[in-house]
Amino acid sequence: MTTTTALPAPVPAATGDGQRGSIELRGVRKLYGNVAAVDDLDLTVRPGEFVTLLGPSGSGKTTTMMMIAGFEELTSGTVLIDGKPVDRLPPKDRDLGIVFQSYALFPHMSAAENVEFPLRMRSVPRAERRRRAEEALARVGLAGLGDRRPRQMSGGQQQRVALARALVFNPAALLLDEPMAALDKRLREQMQDEVKTLQKSLGISVVFVTHDQDEAMSMSDRIVVMRDGKIVQEGAPEDVYAHPRTDWVANFLGDTNLLPCTVLERKDGMAVVDLGAWGVGRVRDRGVDGDAYAVSVRPEHLRFVDAGRTENGGTGRIVSSTVLGATVRHRLQVAGQDVVMRELGTGSGAARDLRGEVSVGWSADEAQLLVLES
Ligand SMILES: Nc1ncnc2c1ncn2[C@@H]1O[C@H](COP(=O)(O)OP(=O)(O)OP(=O)(O)O)[C@@H](O)[C@H]1O
Ligand SMILES: [Mg+2]
């Protein structure tokens, strides 16, 4: 048994109606003393949807999960699972499979006994427990390893046992709070693929927590960006990445160049902006409103252009070029500002004279008008 084999075809979820597993948070709030760890949160997870809570440390992700799971009481608001309020239900009656980073396996039990545990709590007869635990272990690629103790397994295998334990009772939904934080990069990426494949084939809803933006981008149907206990933006990963509402979201989800600007005109989803030393330019406009604005241009959307063709862009010089394997990162000084540019391959820029003048530009559809918060 290697860890790289594909997962066996899973057993379909018992209900088969595809409508199980909705989670709804209405006005959910959690105060610790007078600090709001979670502040008036509204969130709906549809059956079969993979929703990721993404935010920096202390933004309220775990607190939100604990309230959904029933380990923390709400200060106010309601949690509904499959349309029914669960605020009075203990965790074990909420029908949720849970893998929390702190939820370690029981070290004195074998993998199979660990996986059987939720079934024992539900008084499932012994023979059926055995059968279902074996099935769940096979589903996560661990067939035949049921007799091992956690300490006889790798970090990735232990994580799979935890996943099998969460899945074994056919829950309505899965709550995964940084389940891969302890794994190294390669194993983590492999587990990401496996969890995603498993989730899709089971059609189970997942609420996932991470503060790793790449993990959030690659796994989610929807990303919910949290800051200080509040949702600051949500949407499909590519949407949030392409259309950040604020400089904070743009910076949190990847690298970007922020060019402060004054809005001259807004029409038909485009804005004409005055960028000071960069001149006047055109960018996409999703209608965000604030006191101050900037244009966000992702490093991969800056390109070298011919001198003079700088409607959206400016002229300056390359400060450094670093080859990062598949891409090259250029640092430039353009119109008095430091900017970063990323090119695929060795790129056209790598061959350029570092002392010479270069012009860079962006296409109006790839740059975004956003609100400057900080
Ligand atoms: N039991 C508690 N008592 C008091 N304050 C708490 C408690 N649990 C969490 N907090 C506070 O609530 C806020 C949100 O914490 P939470 O654990 O939900 O953050 P998080 O987004 O999961 O962060 P991380 O990425 O570090 O896991 C933090 O300011 C934290 O200090
Ligand atoms: Mg946390």
Side-chain angles (χ1 to χ4, degrees):
M1 183 82 221
T2 68
T3 53
T4 49
T5 46
L7 292 172
V11 180
T15 55
D17 58 10
Q19 288 309 306
R20 220 168 133 237
S22 78
I23 297 173
E24 195 181 338
L25 280 70
R26 288 189 193 154
V28 167
R29 205 149 187 262
K30 179 71 187 181
L31 293 178
Y32 288 117
N34 49 15
V35 177
V38 172
D39 202 359
D40 206 14
L41 209 73
D42 290 310
L43 176 68
T44 303
V45 179
R46 291 183 287 275
E49 195 181 15
F50 195 116
V51 172
T52 296
L53 309 183
L54 174 69
S57 192
S59 57
K61 306 179 299 292
T62 294
T63 306
T64 303
M65 297 291 259
M66 297 297 252
M67 289 191 286
I68 298 172
F71 295 116
E72 283 286 359
E73 263 184 54
L74 283 64
T75 305
S76 55
T78 305
V79 174
L80 301 99
I81 297 175
D82 287 330
K84 296 185 195 76
V86 294
D87 304 313
R88 289 171 191 285
L89 289 183
K92 72 172 180 48
D93 294 334
R94 293 192 180 197
D95 206 14
L96 301 169
I98 296 167
V99 181
F100 283 1
Q101 192 191 356
S102 54
Y103 245 67
L105 299 173
F106 304 115
H108 58 288
M109 292 184 193
S110 68
E113 287 165 345
N114 265 282
V115 177
E116 279 181 42
F117 186 79
L119 300 176
R120 233 163 71 195
M121 300 304 292
R122 289 166 174 78
S123 308
V124 174
R126 188 188 162 88
E128 192 187 337
R129 276 192 337 240
R130 277 283 140 84
R131 183 182 61 73
R132 285 172 64 178
E134 268 168 36
E135 227 173 67
L137 281 168
R139 206 182 273 165
V140 297
L142 292 180
L145 297 193
D147 289 337
R148 296 245 191 119
R149 293 285 161 95
R151 68 180 154 75
Q152 298 170 310
M153 306 182 100
S154 71
Q157 289 170 330
Q158 292 181 36
Q159 219 53 32
R160 281 171 225 218
V161 174
L163 196 59
R165 186 174 63 181
L167 286 167
V168 73
F169 56 95
N170 187 27
L174 277 182
L175 305 182
L176 309 176
D177 190 349
E178 308 233 20
M180 301 163 209
L183 307 180
D184 67 41
K185 187 171 181 292
R186 262 190 65 187
L187 196 51
R188 200 181 160 104
E189 285 172 0
Q190 187 188 327
M191 283 294 289
Q192 288 168 3
D193 290 345
E194 291 182 8
V195 167
K196 188 69 204 172
T197 307
L198 192 64
Q199 182 259 338
K200 281 266 173 260
S201 55
L202 290 174
I204 193 168
S205 335
V206 172
V207 186
F208 188 84
V209 162
T210 184
H211 52 244
D212 178 334
Q213 36 157 308
D214 292 335
E215 191 163 280
M217 291 288 297
S218 68
M219 298 189 73
S220 322
D221 296 319
R222 186 152 49 106
I223 291 180
V224 173
V225 186
M226 291 184 67
R227 185 186 186 185
D228 298 336
K230 293 191 176 69
I231 295 175
V232 290
Q233 187 163 353
E234 62 182 292
E238 52 288 359
D239 183 59
V240 181
Y241 184 81
H243 306 284
R245 298 175 44 90
T246 66
D247 57 336
W248 189 88
V249 174
N251 275 322
F252 192 72
L253 232 73
D255 298 325
T256 198
N257 297 291
L258 292 166
L259 315 175
C261 67
T262 313
V263 179
L264 302 176
E265 192 192 337
R266 308 176 81 162
K267 206 172 145 196
D268 302 330
M270 293 301 264
V272 179
V273 295
D274 183 347
L275 292 150
W278 291 72
V280 169
R282 276 161 49 81
V283 295
R284 261 183 338 219
D285 176 16
R286 282 286 193 95
V288 291
D289 260 319
D291 297 329
Y293 295 92
V295 166
S296 162
V297 191
R298 299 283 186 192
E300 65 272 26
H301 292 148
L302 271 180
R303 291 190 190 88
F304 290 109
V305 296
D306 295 334
R309 277 201 53 239
T310 53
E311 187 207 3
N312 296 315
T315 296
R317 60 185 182 85
I318 300 177
V319 176
S320 68
S321 294
T322 312
V323 179
L324 306 167
T327 61
V328 185
R329 185 184 59 214
H330 304 290
R331 296 194 179 280
L332 303 100
Q333 262 275 323
V334 178
Q337 189 174 346
D338 294 326
V339 294
V340 181
M341 181 172 166
R342 197 160 48 228
E343 276 192 306
L344 264 185
T346 48
S348 57
R352 279 168 204 258
D353 182 353
L354 285 187
R355 290 156 302 179
E357 195 166 78
V358 292
S359 294
V360 296
W362 65 84
S363 127
D365 322 316
E366 289 174 337
Q368 173 75 24
L369 181 70
L370 49 67
V371 171
L372 255 190
E373 273 186 343
S374 40

